[in-house]
Amino acid sequence: MFTREARILLTRHYRYLQRYTEVATVLLRHGWQAYCETRSRRAPARRPLVTGREPGDPVYRHLRLAFEELGPVFIKLGQLLSTRPDLIPAEMAAEFSYLQDRVRPLAPDVIRQQVFRELGTAPEKAFSYFDYQPLAAASIAQVHKARLPGGQEVAVKVQRPQLDGVVVTDLAVLENLGRRFKGTVVGRICALEEILATFRRQIERELDFTVEALAMENFRRLYREFPQIVVPRVYWDYTTRGLLTMDYLAGKRLSDWYGKGTDCQRAALLIKALLAPFFQEGIFHGDPHPGNILFLPGGRLGLIDFGIVGRLDEDFRYQAARLILGLQERDLQAVMEVTLKLGKPMAAVDYQALYEDTAELVDRVTGMGKGDVNLAGLLLGMVELARRHSIRMPGTFFVLGRTIMEGESLARRLDPSLDLVQVSGPLAASYLRSRLRPNPTPGRTYHRAASTLQDLLELPRDISRSLDKLARGQLTTIFVHRGLETLYHRLDMVSARLSAALIVAALIGAGALILHAGAGPKTGGLSLLGLGVLGGALILGCLWALLLKVGQKE
């Protein structure tokens, strides 16, 4: 009666309709409960899910409870929102930080089917030992202890079945709801489009365990100079998109270590583990909660669960290093400039007011004595400054901010007197030194010279395209005559600079080619002739720049 495509479409719409009904039912029920609690002005009859914590705003609290009830996609969305107080109200973000992945473990038969689906064989055949009692169970996957045929103790992370279909359905429901709420009060308060776009990228990466495995291999490489920091090794023959097999780390969880006295070394090691990869290559562990940090024998620290990994570009790392060192030196101007560099002013900025607010913030978070520096307070204060002065901070700022705040909170429970800036300052300074340190390897020099020459070769083509657009009327140029003498002078300066750039670039290219060829006598494996040509290019460039500067003043 219906074609195959029509049946698929009807099934999909029915599934979406069914999910819409579930979402609406849960939200309406919790909304009604929140309304009743607000009207009655009494404490809720139900005990809070987070022990030792006073119930928050009934609306936000019941929204969190609704997200927990709606399953893994909504839980992950709430956890993402807890890190973005720039996109939702701060009180809502604080409430979502208490979201919990509390799910029942999968039955052994389900785990057996999942392992067979991923590896093509039963767990008893793939592993010499497989424990069906999970070590941990969450909304995306659960972890089991096993042993490889070679005798290695491993942890096997098994993805929950049919999760792809659940995610596809819930993402479609969320995006449709986002479009419908865009013009409402909710849409004006929350940046729905950015939230959902960010969430889609994050959860799609989390569902592919090979992405997490590659991140683990990358972190293992970056921690080579820190032997006390351990990341499990990945066993690729037993790893697929829905199955991840890694070394089993036998140690105590961070939460088990609390209350055993001050431990300065482990606190400092924890901060280094979180920030060292960031300053090395711009990546960092995005979910440093107590369950993902282990203390191993010999004073070592183990990191697990790399499902959420943050990545930041070179410019952001530079600004973050400036922020830490500026805070260390109480450089108010540097802290204010970093706020402006990282953020995007949405209106005219009152620089004097911003400077005064920055001074007050730095005074508040640094205190008067050693150990009082509070980076978490600084980051929260910068968010408030940005809001007050209409500066929109990038999403990456909040992702890194969450990692730093959680890391500082965990480390201070080990060492209450920890000065985070004292620990992170050397990492930031080392990164800035690496930016200034020359690297005269033939390969790098040749690459940069070739790139410069390529840009120069493309310059005539770019000029030709601009002229062609001008001839077609696609480029509008407005001339304002205010004295042609100045214009002639500027043209002379531009032509002189272009000539100098071409000559210096040619010398750099020649030097790089000589270095690459290794012609002539050598020192340290590098051609003296090539180094001489590069040195001459540097000297000529400096002299030419000095002469042009003098001519400009005249």
Side-chain angles (χ1 to χ4, degrees):
M1 189 175 193
F2 295 104
T3 64
R4 181 175 179 273
E5 291 76 11
R7 288 197 300 270
I8 293 174
L9 190 61
L10 288 172
T11 303
R12 183 180 304 165
H13 279 292
Y14 174 75
R15 186 171 67 246
Y16 290 171
L17 180 61
Q18 187 178 24
R19 186 55 171 164
Y20 276 124
T21 305
E22 294 174 0
V23 172
T25 302
V26 172
L27 291 178
L28 286 173
R29 174 160 46 83
H30 282 280
W32 174 252
Q33 292 175 359
Y35 172 76
C36 293
E37 289 179 13
T38 303
R39 292 281 292 176
S40 64
R41 297 184 180 180
R42 293 197 303 266
R46 295 175 62 185
R47 295 179 59 189
L49 292 179
V50 183
T51 58
R53 170 178 168 267
E54 292 296 325
D57 183 279
V59 175
Y60 296 150
R61 182 166 53 81
H62 275 283
L63 186 59
R64 169 179 62 83
L65 295 176
F67 273 38
E68 287 183 349
E69 188 174 339
L70 287 170
V73 175
F74 284 82
I75 290 174
K76 290 296 180 182
L77 175 60
Q79 291 172 344
L80 169 66
L81 292 175
S82 70
T83 69
R84 298 301 303 270
D86 61 319
L87 301 180
I88 63 174
E91 296 81 3
M92 185 189 295
E95 184 65 46
F96 279 158
S97 67
Y98 294 100
L99 273 169
Q100 303 173 8
D101 277 359
R102 300 174 307 153
V103 296
R104 291 183 179 180
L106 295 171
D109 288 343
V110 177
I111 291 297
R112 184 180 291 107
Q113 291 173 4
Q114 282 297 98
V115 174
F116 187 89
R117 177 182 172 218
E118 297 296 330
L119 298 181
T121 184
E124 294 82 2
K125 293 183 178 179
F127 304 93
S128 61
Y129 165 78
F130 189 91
D131 188 357
Y132 283 96
Q133 184 66 29
L135 297 170
S139 58
I140 296 292
Q142 63 185 47
V143 181
H144 294 261
K145 187 176 180 181
R147 185 182 301 114
L148 295 179
Q152 300 93 335
E153 299 285 340
V154 295
V156 183
K157 186 175 181 179
V158 184
Q159 189 173 119
R160 288 182 169 268
Q162 301 176 344
L163 202 56
D164 285 339
V166 173
V167 169
V168 169
T169 300
D170 280 358
L171 282 176
V173 169
L174 285 169
E175 289 172 352
N176 192 18
L177 290 174
R179 286 191 294 270
R180 295 181 181 274
F181 279 104
K182 186 175 181 181
T184 66
V185 175
V186 176
R188 289 193 293 271
I189 294 175
C190 308
L192 296 176
E193 288 185 358
E194 183 175 348
I195 289 171
L196 294 176
T198 302
F199 178 59
R200 175 179 282 277
R201 291 195 301 271
Q202 175 178 309
I203 197 165
E204 286 177 351
R205 286 196 294 263
E206 283 194 66
L207 289 179
D208 188 350
F209 287 172
T210 61
V211 175
E212 180 178 354
L214 290 170
M216 292 173 65
E217 293 290 325
N218 200 12
F219 274 89
R220 278 176 57 85
R221 175 179 59 83
L222 294 175
Y223 285 135
R224 284 175 183 171
E225 58 183 275
F226 300 97
Q228 289 182 299
I229 302 173
V230 180
V231 174
R233 176 177 48 177
V234 175
Y235 294 90
W236 288 99
D237 291 340
Y238 299 85
T239 295
T240 65
R241 192 179 186 278
L243 194 78
L244 173 58
T245 304
M246 63 199 123
D247 281 332
Y248 172 74
L249 300 185
K252 293 184 176 180
R253 294 187 180 273
L254 182 62
S255 54
D256 299 332
W257 206 263
Y258 294 146
K260 295 186 178 182
T262 301
D263 196 326
C264 305
Q265 292 183 346
R266 283 191 170 89
L269 187 61
L270 172 58
I271 298 301
K272 289 180 181 178
L274 295 178
L275 291 183
F278 166 70
F279 284 117
Q280 286 175 309
E281 289 193 5
I283 66 173
F284 57 93
H285 193 298
D287 192 19
H289 65 73
N292 292 338
I293 300 169
L294 301 173
F295 287 136
L296 308 176
R300 297 177 301 158
L301 182 144
L303 289 178
I304 58 176
D305 194 354
F306 290 83
I308 301 177
V309 173
R311 290 176 173 83
L312 297 168
D313 58 22
E314 180 81 9
D315 184 61
F316 194 103
R317 277 186 282 165
Y318 173 70
Q319 298 300 338
R322 284 190 63 202
L323 178 63
I324 291 175
L325 296 180
L327 188 63
Q328 192 174 34
E329 301 295 330
R330 297 177 62 87
D331 187 345
L332 305 180
Q333 187 69 28
V335 176
M336 186 181 79
E337 288 178 358
V338 168
T339 305
L340 292 171
K341 288 284 188 181
L342 290 178
K344 178 182 180 182
M346 307 303 292
V349 178
D350 185 341
Y351 292 96
Q352 180 59 33
L354 179 60
Y355 184 84
E356 292 175 0
D357 290 343
T358 302
E360 180 182 344
L361 172 62
V362 172
D363 288 341
R364 187 166 66 248
V365 301
T366 55
M368 299 303 295
K370 183 179 179 181
D372 292 333
V373 176
N374 185 347
L375 262 186
L378 174 71
L379 296 172
L380 291 174
M382 289 178 68
V383 173
E384 181 59 32
L385 279 183
R387 283 180 174 175
R388 189 181 307 169
H389 295 274
S390 300
I391 301 172
R392 186 170 185 183
M393 303 299 285
T396 48
F397 175 84
F398 298 95
V399 178
L400 178 63
R402 175 200 177 194
T403 297
I404 293 177
M405 286 189 285
E406 292 188 2
E408 181 178 20
S409 174
L410 298 175
R412 285 189 184 277
R413 294 182 68 178
L414 295 170
D415 179 14
S417 64
L418 175 72
D419 188 339
L420 195 64
V421 173
Q422 289 292 333
V423 178
S424 58
L427 296 173
S430 176
Y431 162 72
L432 291 178
R433 283 196 299 270
S434 69
R435 284 173 58 98
L436 299 174
R437 188 181 305 125
N439 189 5
T441 60
R444 181 179 292 268
T445 304
Y446 180 76
H447 173 73
R448 289 183 175 177
S451 178
T452 302
L453 288 174
Q454 183 64 29
D455 291 340
L456 290 173
L457 290 173
E458 292 178 356
L459 181 61
R461 185 184 61 185
D462 294 337
I463 295 175
S464 177
R465 287 177 177 175
S466 299
L467 293 175
D468 183 60
K469 287 183 178 180
L470 183 61
R472 294 172 180 270
Q474 299 174 352
L475 184 65
T476 303
T477 306
I478 300 175
F479 293 97
V480 179
H481 173 56
R482 292 183 179 175
L484 291 177
E485 296 79 10
T486 304
L487 177 61
Y488 293 151
H489 182 62
R490 294 285 183 184
L491 288 174
D492 289 339
M493 289 178 57
V494 169
S495 61
R497 289 176 180 175
L498 182 59
S499 301
L502 289 171
I503 294 173
V504 172
L507 288 174
I508 291 175
L513 290 173
I514 294 172
L515 279 174
H516 186 67
K522 299 180 181 178
T523 176
L526 298 175
S527 169
L528 287 175
L529 180 59
L531 291 176
V533 173
L534 289 176
L538 178 62
I539 295 172
L540 181 60
C542 292
L543 289 175
W544 209 300
L546 181 61
L547 290 173
L548 289 175
K549 189 173 182 180
V550 172
Q552 184 177 2
K553 290 182 178 180
E554 292 177 352

